[in-house]
């Protein structure tokens, strides 16, 4: 496995691969890798000649300085996991390699077609501007044929699909299912920050989401939404920030079950903010 920490080093590796016609798969990450990332990387390894992974805790997508500071980092164990998964190239730049001062100070603008106005976008203003800013740069550096993203970040995935279309990237975006722990908790780098007690309580999030499926189609989306919020808020240490039942394409709130829908949730478990989602009729 080769590592590159500069764009120059990466581009030398990429140019050589491109000149020999190799297909490139790409998994962008912010490190603190877990079994969910392992699945993305393994799939990428299986479906492409070369798998490239980036590890970069992107400062421009954090709207909270404390969250950025506390984001878990463990490069040594990340590299071990990537070697085990068969990744061939890892790109680990630092922030000054990616951004100039101007880019760090000013918000990157992009036409999201409204996809950024709801859910995560509403509660983390500017978050998706930072995501699109970094993913667009990484796509230009890595020039992948395919890029792999997890469905846990459902809204992020919708926005990446839009970005590829709007910016005309010839890249296939591969949507990968949520990976869950044995008790149903969606795997996330942020789970590392949960205490043992909080981890036990966090399991209830997916439990309530899965149970909520039993009420479709008898209960309407608004009543189901209230029920889910109420059930989760009953559990001490859990506090729902939002739960929305939306159309899978437009991400707009639905009033009935006629279109494919997904319920997206953000919950504080103590001080740790967790997200998850569930498909209802798709
Ligand atoms: O999903 C993530 O880990 C990040 O948002 C991404 C796509 C790597 C961009 O920093």
């Amino acid at each position: 496995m080769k590592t590159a920490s500069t764009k120059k080093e990466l581009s030398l590796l990429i140019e050589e691969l491109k000149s020999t016609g190799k297909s490139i798969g790409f998994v962008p990450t912010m490190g603190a890798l877990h079994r969910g990332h392992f699945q993305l990387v393994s799939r990428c390894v299986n479906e492409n000649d070369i798998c490239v992974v980036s590890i970069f805790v992107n400062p421009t997508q954090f709207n909270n300085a404390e969250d950025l500071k506390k984001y878990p980092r463990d490069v040594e164990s990340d590299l071990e996991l990537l070697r085990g998964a068969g990744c061939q190239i890892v790109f680990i730049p630092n922030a000054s390699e990616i951004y100039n001062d101007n880019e760090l100070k000013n918000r990157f603008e992009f036409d999201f077609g409204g996809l950024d106005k709801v859910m995560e976008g509403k509660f983390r203003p500017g978050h998706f501007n930072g995501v699109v800013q970094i993913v667009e740069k990484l796509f230009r550096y890595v020039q992948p044929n395919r890029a792999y993203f997890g469905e846990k970040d459902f809204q992020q995935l919708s926005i990446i699909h839009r970005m590829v279309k709007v910016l005309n990237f010839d890249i296939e975006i591969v949507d990968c299912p949520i990976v869950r722990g044995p008790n149903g908790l969606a795997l996330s780098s942020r789970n590392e920050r949960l205490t043992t007690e909080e981890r036990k309580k966090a399991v209830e999030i997916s439990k309530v989401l899965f149970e909520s499926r039993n009420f479709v189609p008898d209960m309407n989306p608004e009543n189901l939404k209230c029920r889910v919020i109420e059930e989760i808020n009953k559990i001490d240490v859990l506090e729902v920030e939002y739960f929305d039942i939306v159309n899978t394409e437009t991400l707009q709130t639905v009033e009935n079950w006629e279109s494919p829908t997904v319920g997206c949730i953000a919950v504080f478990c103590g001080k740790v903010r967790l997200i998850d989602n569930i498909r209802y009729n798709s």
Side-chain angles (χ1 to χ4, degrees):
M1 187 170 78
K2 292 179 179 159
T3 58
S5 56
T6 64
K7 288 178 288 195
K8 184 94 203 278
E9 285 167 348
L10 178 69
S11 94
L12 287 173
L13 295 170
I14 298 292
E15 289 318 321
E16 192 187 325
L17 294 168
K18 288 272 163 191
S19 68
T20 51
K22 298 261 196 270
S23 66
I24 298 177
F26 177 44
V27 184
T29 81
M30 297 207 299
L33 305 180
H34 48 69
R35 209 157 43 78
H37 293 108
F38 186 87
Q39 302 266 1
L40 296 184
V41 175
S42 305
R43 183 158 174 195
C44 178
V45 167
N46 285 336
E47 295 178 359
N48 302 277
D49 295 326
I50 298 290
C51 167
V52 180
V53 174
S54 62
I55 299 177
F56 181 61
V57 183
N58 174 34
T60 67
Q61 71 187 73
F62 286 82
N63 57 330
N64 177 328
E66 191 62 8
D67 195 23
L68 171 61
K69 209 165 101 195
K70 290 210 171 131
Y71 200 83
R73 294 162 169 88
D74 188 350
V75 173
E76 281 318 309
S77 88
D78 288 348
L79 293 177
E80 208 176 298
L81 178 141
L82 293 176
R83 251 182 237 111
C87 163
Q88 287 98 339
I89 298 176
V90 191
F91 180 45
I92 317 183
N94 58 34
S96 60
E97 184 65 21
I98 301 289
Y99 295 122
N100 59 38
D101 285 352
N102 198 29
E103 287 172 314
L104 286 173
K105 275 189 214 126
N106 298 308
R107 189 180 278 185
F108 174 84
E109 293 305 331
F110 179 73
D111 173 11
F112 292 91
L115 293 180
D116 62 325
K117 297 282 181 284
V118 295
M119 303 188 292
E120 288 299 286
K122 198 151 109 192
F123 287 91
R124 301 178 71 191
H127 166 64
F128 289 120
N129 302 72
V131 170
V132 170
Q133 181 179 33
I134 187 61
V135 174
E136 187 268 340
K137 278 176 185 277
L138 292 170
F139 278 3
R140 278 194 285 110
Y141 306 152
V142 178
Q143 300 171 55
N145 301 82
R146 293 186 195 88
Y148 296 75
F149 291 85
E151 285 180 345
K152 182 171 77 67
D153 297 281
F154 192 87
Q155 191 171 5
Q156 166 171 283
L157 194 46
S158 303
I159 284 174
I160 298 297
H161 278 284
R162 175 168 176 91
M163 180 194 104
V164 164
K165 223 170 172 177
V166 170
L167 301 180
N168 237 340
F169 276 111
D170 186 14
I171 298 172
E172 180 192 342
I173 303 299
V174 184
D175 303 2
C176 302
I178 298 179
V179 182
R180 297 183 181 278
N183 296 327
L185 178 64
L187 297 191
S188 162
S189 305
R190 289 171 200 271
N191 294 353
E192 279 182 31
R193 291 176 49 207
L194 299 171
T195 62
T196 314
E197 207 42 46
E198 285 169 345
R199 203 175 268 261
K200 280 188 201 146
K201 300 280 164 87
V203 163
E204 298 297 322
I205 302 168
S206 57
K207 222 163 131 192
V208 173
L209 288 181
F210 278 110
E211 275 167 13
S212 72
R213 275 181 163 164
N214 299 332
F215 298 95
V216 176
D218 298 335
M219 205 179 253
N220 69 36
E222 180 56 27
N223 289 345
L224 189 62
K225 175 179 147 174
C226 294
R227 194 199 140 91
V228 165
I229 296 175
E230 205 179 305
E231 289 298 309
I232 293 181
N233 282 343
K234 268 188 202 158
I235 300 153
D236 61 323
V237 315
L238 298 187
E239 195 178 338
V240 175
E241 184 170 55
Y242 70 79
F243 176 57
D244 261 334
I245 301 178
V246 300
N247 177 291
T248 53
E249 293 286 316
T250 64
L251 302 188
Q252 299 306 304
T253 304
V254 294
E255 285 172 4
N256 54 50
W257 301 110
E258 277 164 23
S259 59
T261 55
V262 58
C264 297
I265 197 162
V267 182
F268 277 99
C269 181
K271 291 201 163 114
V272 185
R273 187 177 183 277
L274 303 173
I275 61 170
D276 200 346
N277 64 73
I278 187 135
R279 303 274 190 145
Y280 286 109
N281 53 355
S282 50

